[in-house]
Amino acid sequence: MAWIKRNLALVISGAIALALLGFGGWYLWSAIQKNNQSDGEINQTKSEIERLLNMDPSPNTSNLANAKRELDRLTTFTAAAKRHFPVTPPRPRP
Protein backbone atom coordinates (compact mmCIF):
# COMPACT_ATOMS: atom_id res chain seq x y z
CA MET A 1 0.00 0.00 0.00
CA ALA A 2 2.85 2.35 0.73
CA TRP A 3 4.28 1.69 -2.73
CA ILE A 4 0.97 2.70 -4.36
CA LYS A 5 0.88 5.91 -2.33
CA ARG A 6 4.43 6.80 -3.34
CA ASN A 7 3.85 5.98 -7.01
CA LEU A 8 0.25 7.17 -7.38
CA ALA A 9 0.98 8.90 -10.69
CA LEU A 10 2.42 5.66 -12.10
CA VAL A 11 -0.59 3.63 -10.95
CA ILE A 12 -3.06 6.14 -12.41
CA SER A 13 -1.10 6.28 -15.68
CA GLY A 14 -1.10 2.49 -15.85
CA ALA A 15 -4.87 2.35 -15.28
CA ILE A 16 -5.44 4.95 -18.00
CA ALA A 17 -3.14 3.01 -20.35
CA LEU A 18 -5.06 -0.22 -19.70
CA ALA A 19 -8.36 1.56 -20.31
CA LEU A 20 -7.06 2.99 -23.58
CA LEU A 21 -5.80 -0.45 -24.65
CA GLY A 22 -9.22 -1.91 -23.90
CA PHE A 23 -10.93 0.82 -25.92
CA GLY A 24 -8.48 0.27 -28.79
CA GLY A 25 -9.18 -3.47 -28.74
CA TRP A 26 -12.94 -2.87 -28.79
CA TYR A 27 -12.58 -0.38 -31.65
CA LEU A 28 -10.45 -2.83 -33.63
CA TRP A 29 -12.92 -5.66 -33.03
CA SER A 30 -15.89 -3.54 -34.15
CA ALA A 31 -14.01 -2.42 -37.27
CA ILE A 32 -13.18 -6.05 -38.12
CA GLN A 33 -16.85 -7.01 -37.69
CA LYS A 34 -17.94 -4.17 -39.96
CA ASN A 35 -15.29 -5.18 -42.51
CA ASN A 36 -16.48 -8.79 -42.46
CA GLN A 37 -20.05 -7.64 -42.97
CA SER A 38 -19.01 -5.50 -45.94
CA ASP A 39 -17.03 -8.42 -47.37
CA GLY A 40 -20.12 -10.60 -47.15
CA GLU A 41 -22.22 -8.02 -48.97
CA ILE A 42 -19.53 -7.61 -51.65
CA ASN A 43 -19.25 -11.37 -52.14
CA GLN A 44 -23.02 -11.67 -52.39
CA THR A 45 -23.13 -8.90 -55.00
CA LYS A 46 -20.25 -10.51 -56.92
CA SER A 47 -22.04 -13.84 -57.02
CA GLU A 48 -25.23 -12.12 -58.21
CA ILE A 49 -23.27 -10.34 -60.97
CA GLU A 50 -21.60 -13.60 -62.00
CA ARG A 51 -25.00 -15.30 -62.11
CA LEU A 52 -26.42 -12.52 -64.30
CA LEU A 53 -23.39 -12.52 -66.60
CA ASN A 54 -23.55 -16.28 -67.08
CA MET A 55 -27.24 -16.28 -67.96
CA ASP A 56 -28.18 -16.86 -71.55
CA PRO A 57 -30.96 -14.41 -72.38
CA SER A 58 -32.73 -15.11 -75.62
CA PRO A 59 -33.97 -12.24 -77.80
CA ASN A 60 -37.49 -13.48 -78.33
CA THR A 61 -40.36 -11.33 -79.59
CA SER A 62 -41.78 -10.51 -76.14
CA ASN A 63 -38.37 -9.27 -74.92
CA LEU A 64 -37.96 -7.13 -78.04
CA ALA A 65 -41.48 -5.71 -77.68
CA ASN A 66 -40.83 -4.87 -74.02
CA ALA A 67 -37.57 -3.17 -74.91
CA LYS A 68 -39.25 -1.10 -77.65
CA ARG A 69 -42.07 -0.12 -75.29
CA GLU A 70 -39.58 0.98 -72.63
CA LEU A 71 -37.62 2.94 -75.23
CA ASP A 72 -40.80 4.75 -76.27
CA ARG A 73 -41.62 5.55 -72.62
CA LEU A 74 -38.10 6.87 -72.09
CA THR A 75 -38.31 9.02 -75.20
CA THR A 76 -41.60 10.59 -74.10
CA PHE A 77 -40.27 11.16 -70.58
CA THR A 78 -37.13 12.83 -71.95
CA ALA A 79 -39.21 15.12 -74.14
CA ALA A 80 -41.42 16.09 -71.18
CA ALA A 81 -38.40 16.71 -68.99
CA LYS A 82 -36.84 18.95 -71.63
CA ARG A 83 -39.98 21.08 -71.58
CA HIS A 84 -39.81 21.46 -67.80
CA PHE A 85 -36.08 22.15 -67.69
CA PRO A 86 -35.15 24.50 -70.50
CA VAL A 87 -31.55 24.91 -71.57
CA THR A 88 -29.79 27.70 -69.71
CA PRO A 89 -28.47 30.52 -71.90
CA PRO A 90 -24.72 30.81 -72.27
CA ARG A 91 -22.94 33.04 -69.81
CA PRO A 92 -22.05 36.42 -71.31
CA ARG A 93 -18.38 37.19 -71.59
CA PRO A 94 -17.24 40.32 -69.76
Side-chain angles (χ1 to χ4, degrees):
M1 194 60 142
W3 182 85
I4 293 176
K5 287 182 181 178
R6 281 185 277 146
N7 297 313
L8 189 59
L10 180 66
V11 171
I12 292 173
S13 299
I16 291 173
L18 282 175
L20 288 174
L21 280 172
F23 176 74
W26 171 79
Y27 187 74
L28 176 66
W29 179 77
S30 65
I32 289 173
Q33 292 297 326
K34 194 180 289 186
N35 190 21
N36 288 340
Q37 181 183 4
S38 297
D39 280 346
E41 291 172 4
I42 288 172
N43 288 336
Q44 183 180 7
T45 305
K46 278 184 180 179
S47 64
E48 179 68 17
I49 289 172
E50 286 295 323
R51 184 186 70 79
L52 291 174
L53 287 176
N54 291 333
M55 288 178 70
D56 189 23
S58 60
N60 56 19
T61 56
S62 66
N63 287 345
L64 293 175
N66 286 338
K68 181 157 179 50
R69 198 169 342 130
E70 289 297 319
L71 180 63
D72 292 339
R73 276 186 54 205
L74 183 63
T75 305
T76 57
F77 175 77
T78 306
K82 283 183 181 178
R83 279 186 274 130
H84 290 293
F85 301 104
V87 178
T88 57
R91 200 167 137 188
R93 295 213 174 235

